[in-house]
């Protein structure tokens, strides 16, 4: 059980305080309700580029990182298709420094032309390092537009193409800041050995004077219901053929999300999972296979991916895979098998929650979903899932017309 | 009145509480450490074996490490994995040059059961040929995937040159995977696992009876003689350019054989290395990423082995700026040798390091890892008090002298790939 208190400032900033008396460290986590899904299709990669620029100095502070390092702390951030999350970890005595920094960059950014030019270059190198210069690196650049036709999930957080980063203009970036980086669009969590009154006083001191701006209204293109099987094959210089079956699944807030999460564990998470046992151990068709979900806020994907053994064709795999999925759809999981999945989830959760930073991030994320206390209710939902409902969702999700298949074929004499 | 231009006052770190784990003796040579004070239901158990890659030929250690749960006479690998998963356990085998580390993470009430599954798999393992063939097949495919990565190519060549002529420098080739027999794996397992336990580590609020049981049952695996590790190393000083057609980034590795914690210069060098490339505000990051935009990331490290260590700078940069990036790396090193660090920068690094020290001792798992890092060199936690003292008292001249002593460009091995 993660204890927390919650309050809100007049300018709309939501604040969560989580007390932990056992640690000399503290965390300030700031979640902004903006991600790659909020970009326009002509300017993708902006949310992420912007995250880099947030370290380029704010109106009163020339360098974000060095001020925090001087206080014994460190900071980082990540951008997803849904959110942008910043965090600072530092000795608890220096809470003021972290709040000073985070409030100033929420107040007003002041990065220079030079900082834009450099971060543009850094992000382009990141694009190359992660997506282009690795075998199978461009999978998500290919799979997203195959699975999504309208919804902005059709591009990756890094952006659709490098040219969007190359062409980013200062004025576009400024307006992005003004629109999304305001108190009403942020959730802050302070975690550490403090008293509530003290945190209220500090938060109010640093954040209350930031002007209120109306929370941006979000209307995203709706993804039409998929009704046909989609398939794309590309040839790449890779050592082995690889496959990615992507099935549409429920949005984050629905019960179906949790059911499909367990379903993905059942079919392909561990060495005791059904696809691993059938396709790898018994039939020896693949060298690796696994199933997982994207975990996105809007309609997400359940992915089954793996690599073929030498001499095995995509057709053979395809036939065996659908056979296996049919069995999963026809036969309910046993209670024993379901218990096995549930205890793994419980164990993983206990370990994750040991970290102060994880707790702070999770509280912000669940507050974004509607209620920070969701972090304490999540286990209950997982543990209450029955074999019957799991079986229903297997039939709902694992349908061919709900599936997009990407095949990466190894170029011969590569 | 709020004035955002004024930085809040910073409070210095006054003390860090270091906590020792309990120590038990499994034998004259093999300790067991237990950190009981964990405020939740999680626990971790680690078994360290003298089964690192320097033991045995080519990929023998690596394959054996992958086969620990590959089956017994009664239970095949799937049955064993089902049993482990029934207890909610996560397990992991970490392989370094000098040890194989088998770790289990689980809820407290499952640990005894997990140990019994492990003990059964370990004691009665038969290493079925089918499992070996499968693993060889998987590893070959992974090797080919890695072989496409410039970072992999550069790192492996670097290891070869840095440990020149010792078992530590061995390069794995694809054909090595076909050159290991089942008999060799069984022999390796008997020698380096069943008679190769070097250390057991427990973190978790487990019942005394569980810990005693694990201790009692693990004794039979203890090493009989103290494992020996090579102590003399010197890197090949050369520059090697590996070409990879079509690569849009180049990997760079620059470094040399150096030392580990036991060396007198270690503490001061750790501070020097932090200034150069160990954190986000380091000189390499500030110059090569934050000023030039040549890379997504660059860092420098001091990597330790039992009797030695090496210094390494690593990065991936755009292929068109490879030489420029190397020039800048050289420039940064020479700057450390020629100009005294200014007080502001040194103060920042000192504060940052003290904050990191506080964080590294935060919580029982972190505390245990901190302890293990000194224990393996026969030292105790007083090492960290010395480190804190060193951070507080080091002067710019000492850092400059150290850079001159250890970081001469002419002593470096330089590898690029791409």
């Amino acid at each position: 059980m993660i204890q927390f208190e919650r309050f809100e400032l007049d300018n709309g900033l939501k604040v969560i305080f989580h007390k932990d008396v056992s640690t000399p460290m503290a965390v300030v986590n700031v979640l902004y309700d903006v991600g790659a899904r909020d970009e326009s299709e002509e300017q993708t990669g902006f949310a992420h580029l912007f995250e880099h620029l947030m370290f380029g100095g704010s109106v009163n502070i020339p360098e974000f990182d060095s001020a925090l390092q001087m206080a014994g702390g460190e900071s980082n951030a990540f951008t997803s298709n849904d959110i942008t999350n910043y965090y600072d970890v530092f000795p608890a005595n220096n809470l003021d420094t972290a709040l000073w920094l985070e409030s100033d960059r929420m107040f007003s950014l002041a990065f220079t032309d030079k900082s834009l030019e450099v971060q543009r270059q850094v992000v382009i190198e990141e694009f190359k390092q992660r997506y282009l210069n690795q075998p199978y690196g461009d999978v998500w650049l290919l799979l997203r537009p195959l699975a999504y036709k309208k919804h902005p999930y059709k591009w990756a957080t890094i952006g659709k193409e490098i040219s969007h980063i190359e062409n980013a203009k200062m004025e576009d970036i400024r307006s992005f800041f003004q629109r999304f980086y305001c108190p009403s669009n942020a959730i802050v969590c302070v975690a550490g050995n403090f008293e509530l009154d003290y945190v209220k006083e500090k938060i109010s001191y640093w954040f209350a004077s930031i002007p209120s701006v109306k929370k941006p209204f979000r209307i995203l293109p709706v993804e039409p219901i998929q009704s046909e099987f989609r398939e794309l094959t590309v040839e790449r210089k890779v050592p082995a053929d690889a496959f990615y079956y992507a099935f549409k699944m429920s949005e984050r807030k629905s019960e179906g999300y949790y059911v499909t999460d367990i379903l993905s564990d059942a079919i392909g998470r561990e060495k005791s999972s059904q696809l691993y046992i059938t396709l790898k151990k018994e039939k020896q068709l693949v060298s690796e296979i696994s199933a997982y979900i994207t975990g996105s806020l809007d309609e997400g994907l359940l992915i089954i991916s793996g690599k073929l053994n030498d001499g095995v064709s995509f057709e053979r795999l395809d036939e065996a895979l659908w056979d296996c999925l049919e069995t999963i759809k026809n036969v309910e999981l046993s209670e024993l098998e379901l218990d096995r999945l549930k205890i793994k989830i419980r164990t993983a959760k206990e370990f994750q929650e040991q970290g102060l930073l994880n707790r702070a991030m999770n509280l912000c994320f669940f507050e974004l979903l509607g209620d920070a206390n969701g972090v304490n209710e999540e286990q209950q939902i997982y543990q209450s899932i029955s074999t019957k409902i799991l079986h229903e969702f297997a039939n709902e999700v694992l349908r061919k017309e709900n599936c997009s298949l990407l095949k990466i074929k190894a170029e011969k004499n590569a | 009145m709020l004035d955002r231009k004024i930085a809040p006052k910073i409070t210095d770190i006054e003390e860090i509480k270091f906590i020792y784990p309990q120590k038990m003796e499994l034998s004259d040579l093999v300790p067991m450490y237990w950190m009981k004070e964990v405020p939740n239901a999680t626990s971790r158990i680690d078994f360290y074996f003298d089964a690192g890659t320097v033991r045995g030929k080519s990929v023998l250690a690596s394959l054996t490490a992958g086969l620990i749960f590959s089956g017994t006479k009664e239970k095949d690998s799937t049955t064993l994995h089902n049993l482990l998963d029934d207890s909610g356990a996560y397990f992991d085998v970490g392989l370094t040059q000098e040890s194989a580390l088998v770790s289990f993470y689980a809820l407290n009430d499952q640990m005894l059961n997990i140990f019994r599954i492990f003990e059964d798999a370990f004691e009665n393992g038969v290493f079925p040929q089918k499992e070996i063939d499968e693993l060889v097949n998987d590893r070959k495919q992974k090797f080919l995937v890695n072989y496409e990565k410039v970072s992999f190519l550069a790192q492996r060549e670097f290891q070869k040159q840095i440990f020149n002529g010792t078992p530590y420098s061995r390069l794995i080739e694809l054909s090595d995977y076909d050159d290991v027999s089942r008999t060799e794996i069984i022999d390796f397992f008997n020698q380096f696992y069943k008679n190769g336990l070097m250390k057991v580590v427990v973190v978790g609020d487990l019942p005394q009876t569980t810990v005693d049981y694990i201790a009692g049952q693990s004794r039979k695996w203890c090493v009989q003689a103290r494992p020996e590790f090579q102590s003399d190393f010197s890197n090949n000083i050369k520059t090697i350019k590996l070409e990879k057609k079509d690569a849009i980034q180049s990997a760079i590795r620059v470094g040399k054989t150096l030392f580990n914690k036991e060396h007198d210069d270690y503490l001061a060098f750790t501070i020097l290395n932090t200034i150069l490339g160990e954190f986000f505000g380091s000189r390499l990051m500030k110059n090569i990423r934050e000023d030039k935009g040549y890379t997504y990331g660059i860092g420098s490290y001091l990597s330790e082995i039992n009797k030695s260590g090496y210094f390494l700078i690593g990065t991936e940069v755009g292929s068109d700026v490879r030489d420029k990036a190397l020039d800048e790396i050289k420039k940064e090193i020479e700057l450390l040798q020629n100009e005294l660090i200014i007080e502001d920068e040194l103060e920042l690094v000192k504060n940052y390091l003290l904050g990191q020290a506080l964080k590294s001792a935060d919580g029982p798992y972190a505390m245990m890892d901190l302890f293990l890092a000194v224990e393996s060199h026969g030292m105790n936690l007083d090492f960290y008090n010395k480190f804190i003292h060193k951070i507080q008292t080091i002067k710019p001249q000492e850092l400059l002298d150290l850079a001159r002593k250890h970081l001469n460009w002419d002593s470096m091995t330089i590898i690029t790939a791409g």
Side-chain angles (χ1 to χ4, degrees):
Chain A
M1 180 80 179
I2 303 177
Q3 304 286 346
F4 66 93
E5 304 279 348
R6 191 166 26 193
F7 57 94
E8 192 170 328
L9 300 186
D10 290 342
N11 59 15
L13 182 72
K14 291 195 177 73
V15 186
I16 294 162
F17 164 53
H18 166 59
K19 182 169 179 161
D20 182 342
V21 298
S22 74
T23 172
M25 302 298 289
V27 168
V28 169
N29 189 74
V30 186
L31 181 155
Y32 288 94
D33 184 4
V34 57
R37 65 176 173 164
D38 297 301
E39 297 159 352
S40 82
E41 193 164 359
E42 292 72 43
Q43 292 185 318
T44 64
F46 256 55
H48 171 251
L49 174 62
F50 196 83
E51 173 217 311
H52 278 248
L53 291 167
M54 280 287 273
F55 292 90
S58 49
V59 63
N60 297 300
I61 308 168
E63 277 194 46
F64 185 94
D65 278 310
S66 51
L68 192 63
Q69 286 150 4
M70 192 60 103
E74 59 184 346
S75 173
N76 212 333
F78 63 85
T79 309
S80 74
N81 292 75
D82 296 316
I83 61 166
T84 313
N85 191 85
Y86 301 82
Y87 55 91
D88 314 304
V89 183
F90 50 90
N93 289 340
N94 292 326
L95 176 63
D96 266 316
T97 304
L99 296 178
W100 172 58
L101 287 163
E102 290 297 351
S103 65
D104 203 53
R105 67 178 175 182
M106 190 184 292
F107 182 62
S108 183
L109 267 191
F111 56 86
T112 57
D113 288 333
K114 153 113 193 185
S115 154
L116 173 58
E117 285 324 306
V118 167
Q119 290 311 317
R120 194 201 300 279
Q121 237 4 84
V122 169
V123 170
I124 290 170
E125 290 305 324
E126 182 180 358
F127 203 131
K128 291 183 196 165
Q129 186 171 326
R130 290 189 167 172
Y131 295 84
L132 303 181
N133 208 32
Q134 303 282 345
Y136 314 102
D138 61 347
V139 160
W140 285 98
L141 301 180
L142 298 164
L143 189 56
R144 285 187 172 279
L146 186 66
Y148 294 99
K149 294 298 164 196
K150 293 267 190 265
H151 191 284
Y153 284 169
K154 68 181 172 180
W155 57 84
T157 313
I158 193 80
K160 219 161 109 173
E161 45 193 277
I162 286 187
S163 70
H164 287 189
I165 311 291
E166 284 167 345
N167 298 331
K169 303 260 186 321
M170 188 61 117
E171 67 217 56
D172 300 332
I173 287 165
R174 286 230 171 82
S175 73
F176 192 89
F177 176 77
Q178 272 150 12
R179 182 146 173 243
F180 294 110
Y181 281 76
C182 53
S184 59
N185 209 36
I187 301 166
V188 175
C189 179
V190 176
N193 188 10
F194 307 111
E195 297 301 330
L196 176 62
D197 286 345
Y198 176 79
V199 171
K200 276 188 172 166
E201 181 200 318
K202 292 292 178 194
I203 287 278
S204 171
Y205 181 79
W206 290 111
F207 286 90
S209 59
I210 302 174
S212 165
V213 177
K214 208 163 161 247
K215 184 173 166 69
F217 193 62
R218 176 182 283 122
I219 311 174
L220 298 180
V222 177
E223 183 66 19
I225 292 171
Q226 184 172 342
S227 56
E228 79 292 336
F229 175 67
R230 298 171 191 158
E231 193 173 343
L232 172 69
T233 307
V234 296
E235 287 204 4
R236 289 289 186 271
K237 273 186 75 173
V238 292
D241 293 344
F243 54 87
Y244 303 82
Y245 290 80
F247 298 86
K248 294 278 172 54
M249 62 170 279
S250 316
E251 57 171 28
R252 183 66 179 79
K253 280 191 198 179
S254 74
E255 191 201 4
Y257 170 87
Y258 296 93
V259 183
T260 314
D261 190 15
I262 292 203
L263 177 66
S264 73
D265 291 350
I267 62 183
R269 179 173 167 137
E270 302 279 351
K271 292 183 173 171
S272 55
S273 66
Q274 304 188 9
L275 291 176
Y276 186 91
I277 291 173
T278 311
L279 300 182
K280 181 173 162 71
K281 300 304 284 185
E282 288 172 19
K283 303 198 167 163
Q284 314 231 337
L285 300 178
V286 297
S287 64
E288 53 187 76
I289 187 159
S290 61
Y292 45 92
I293 61 170
T294 51
S296 55
L297 290 180
D298 297 327
E299 187 185 44
L301 298 173
L302 180 156
I303 314 267
I304 298 170
S305 71
K307 296 196 180 77
L308 295 179
N309 272 333
D310 255 5
V312 176
S313 68
F314 280 115
E315 290 70 30
R316 246 180 94 197
L317 179 268
D318 193 65
E319 200 179 315
L321 180 81
W322 286 108
D323 271 357
C324 195
L325 294 181
E326 274 315 304
T327 313
I328 291 165
K329 284 154 71 174
N330 288 331
V331 187
E332 264 187 33
L333 218 58
S334 71
E335 290 293 341
L336 183 80
E337 286 167 305
L338 183 58
D339 286 346
R340 177 183 296 155
L341 303 172
K342 286 180 178 176
I343 190 173
K344 294 283 280 202
I345 290 174
R346 200 151 61 82
T347 308
K349 172 110 173 155
E350 286 279 345
F351 273 93
Q352 273 164 24
E353 286 189 356
Q354 291 203 98
L356 189 67
L357 177 60
N358 274 334
R359 273 175 271 155
M361 276 184 192
N362 273 333
L363 285 166
C364 286
F365 186 71
F366 276 93
E367 184 64 18
L368 178 73
L369 290 179
D371 180 4
N373 196 47
V375 73
N376 295 315
E377 293 162 350
E378 193 183 39
Q379 269 308 298
Q380 195 61 45
I381 303 176
Y382 277 118
Q383 300 301 328
S384 70
I385 288 168
S386 66
T387 53
K388 184 166 169 293
I389 189 152
L390 199 61
H391 187 237
E392 279 171 33
F393 267 84
N395 281 279
E396 171 68 29
V397 175
L398 303 173
R399 289 174 298 119
K400 193 146 187 177
E401 61 275 19
N402 189 40
C403 177
S404 305
L405 168 59
L406 171 65
K407 297 189 280 195
I408 311 274
K409 206 168 158 42
E411 267 174 31
K412 285 303 157 202
N413 53 44
Chain B
M1 181 59 197
L2 169 60
D3 183 349
R4 293 186 177 276
K5 295 226 181 293
I6 301 169
K9 196 175 164 306
I10 289 166
T11 312
D12 291 335
I13 291 161
E14 279 153 20
E15 67 155 340
I16 299 177
K17 282 188 201 132
F18 296 111
I19 303 164
Y20 279 92
Q22 286 179 51
K23 182 179 181 182
M24 287 154 276
E25 310 270 349
L26 298 186
S27 78
D28 292 350
L29 298 172
V30 181
M32 176 164 173
Y33 297 105
W34 182 19
M35 188 76 81
K36 187 179 164 60
E37 296 72 22
V38 178
N40 54 51
T42 65
S43 48
R44 180 185 99 198
I45 300 192
D46 304 322
F47 299 89
Y48 287 80
F49 297 97
D50 179 27
T53 57
V54 294
R55 307 289 185 229
K57 67 175 194 182
S58 64
V59 294
L60 194 47
S62 151
L63 290 178
T64 310
L67 290 163
I68 290 176
F69 285 92
S70 62
T72 65
K73 221 179 232 166
E74 276 86 37
K75 303 183 185 83
D76 66 8
S77 69
T78 299
T79 309
L80 287 171
H81 284 286
N82 283 350
L83 286 170
L84 275 180
D85 284 343
D86 283 341
S87 66
Y90 289 85
F91 98 96
D92 183 48
V93 184
L95 190 65
T96 68
Q97 289 163 320
E98 295 176 331
S99 74
L101 166 59
V102 182
S103 302
F104 298 92
Y105 302 79
L107 301 176
N108 290 342
D109 55 0
Q110 301 292 331
M111 252 330 168
L112 183 59
N113 184 34
I114 289 162
F115 177 76
R116 289 189 168 128
I117 299 164
F118 171 56
E119 192 187 9
D120 177 29
F122 197 87
E123 278 292 294
N124 305 310
V126 290
F127 300 93
Q129 188 63 48
K130 173 178 175 287
E131 294 285 334
I132 296 171
D133 293 344
E134 252 185 67
L135 185 67
V136 164
N137 176 56
D138 299 351
R139 289 288 168 86
K140 282 163 85 173
Q141 207 183 71
K142 284 209 171 74
F143 178 86
L144 288 171
V145 171
N146 282 330
Y147 209 77
E148 291 296 314
K149 300 177 184 170
V150 289
S151 56
F152 178 79
L153 296 177
Q155 185 64 31
R156 105 195 248 279
E157 186 64 35
F158 180 77
Q159 302 273 355
K160 180 179 168 188
Q161 300 303 332
I162 207 94
F163 292 122
N164 143 48
T166 72
Y168 292 72
S169 75
R170 215 156 39 202
L171 279 201
I172 290 173
E173 301 295 345
L174 189 63
S175 57
D176 291 340
Y177 288 98
D178 294 320
D179 188 36
V180 173
S181 71
R182 177 167 174 261
T183 315
E184 286 172 315
I185 288 173
I186 292 172
D187 289 348
F188 185 89
F189 186 77
N190 286 336
Q191 185 178 353
F192 296 112
Y193 282 90
K194 276 193 165 171
N195 292 291
L197 183 66
M198 297 194 290
K199 188 159 51 189
V200 178
V201 173
V202 180
V203 184
D205 189 9
L206 297 171
Q208 183 72 44
T209 49
T210 298
V211 176
D212 289 344
Y213 181 81
I214 292 170
Q217 297 301 104
S218 302
R219 280 204 174 89
K220 55 183 174 285
W221 304 324
C222 287
V223 283
Q224 301 300 314
R226 192 178 299 280
E228 295 292 332
F229 295 100
Q230 178 128 4
S231 57
D232 288 331
F233 297 94
S234 63
N235 54 304
N236 272 332
I237 298 169
K238 54 164 80 169
T239 300
I240 296 174
K241 287 186 180 179
L242 303 170
E243 293 299 326
K244 183 171 188 306
K245 269 193 305 173
D246 314 328
I248 56 174
Q249 281 195 321
S250 296
I252 296 176
R253 297 290 183 272
V254 175
K256 62 181 287 195
T257 312
L258 209 56
F259 44 64
N260 63 23
K261 282 191 183 61
E262 293 167 45
H263 193 279
D264 287 344
D265 288 343
Y266 178 89
L267 293 177
F269 190 85
T270 302
I271 300 167
L272 180 69
N273 182 50
T274 305
I275 296 166
L276 176 65
E278 196 264 341
F279 75 128
F280 210 94
S282 69
R283 290 185 176 186
L284 288 174
M285 276 295 265
K286 285 211 138 147
N287 178 353
I288 290 158
R289 176 178 144 134
E290 293 295 302
D291 187 59
K292 308 286 189 310
Y294 290 163
T295 181
Y296 179 51
I298 182 165
S300 67
Y301 317 88
L302 182 55
S303 184
E304 296 177 64
I305 53 177
N306 209 287
K307 295 271 199 299
S308 183
Y310 63 87
F311 165 75
L312 166 68
I313 296 170
T315 184
E316 271 85 71
V317 301
S319 296
D320 50 330
V321 294
R322 179 185 65 189
D323 293 341
K324 285 186 189 163
L326 263 175
D327 288 345
E328 292 300 326
I329 292 170
K330 181 165 184 257
K331 213 168 88 186
E332 288 301 338
I333 285 184
E334 287 172 352
L335 212 56
L336 286 173
Q337 296 176 317
N338 296 326
E339 284 180 30
L340 289 173
I341 183 170
I342 57 166
E343 276 304 326
D344 282 359
E345 185 184 2
L346 184 56
E347 194 194 346
L348 184 146
V349 169
K350 286 178 173 188
N351 287 357
Y352 170 76
L353 278 171
L354 288 171
Q356 291 305 298
L358 188 67
K359 187 178 157 196
S360 68
D362 184 18
Y365 288 90
M367 195 62 241
M368 179 60 102
D369 292 339
L370 208 56
F371 170 76
L372 292 172
V374 287
E375 181 272 348
S376 54
H377 295 285
M379 303 159 111
N380 62 34
L381 290 172
D382 194 41
F383 175 85
Y384 297 105
N385 291 320
K386 286 189 188 134
F387 185 41
I388 289 166
H389 182 72
K390 191 76 193 174
I391 293 169
Q392 285 163 340
T393 55
I394 197 161
K395 296 280 182 291
Q397 187 63 45
E398 184 177 354
L399 290 163
L400 185 135
D401 292 344
L402 206 63
R404 287 188 176 169
K405 186 171 169 194
H406 294 300
L407 291 182
N408 287 326
W409 190 256
D410 295 342
S411 66
M412 301 286 173
T413 298
I414 301 166
I415 314 287
T416 58

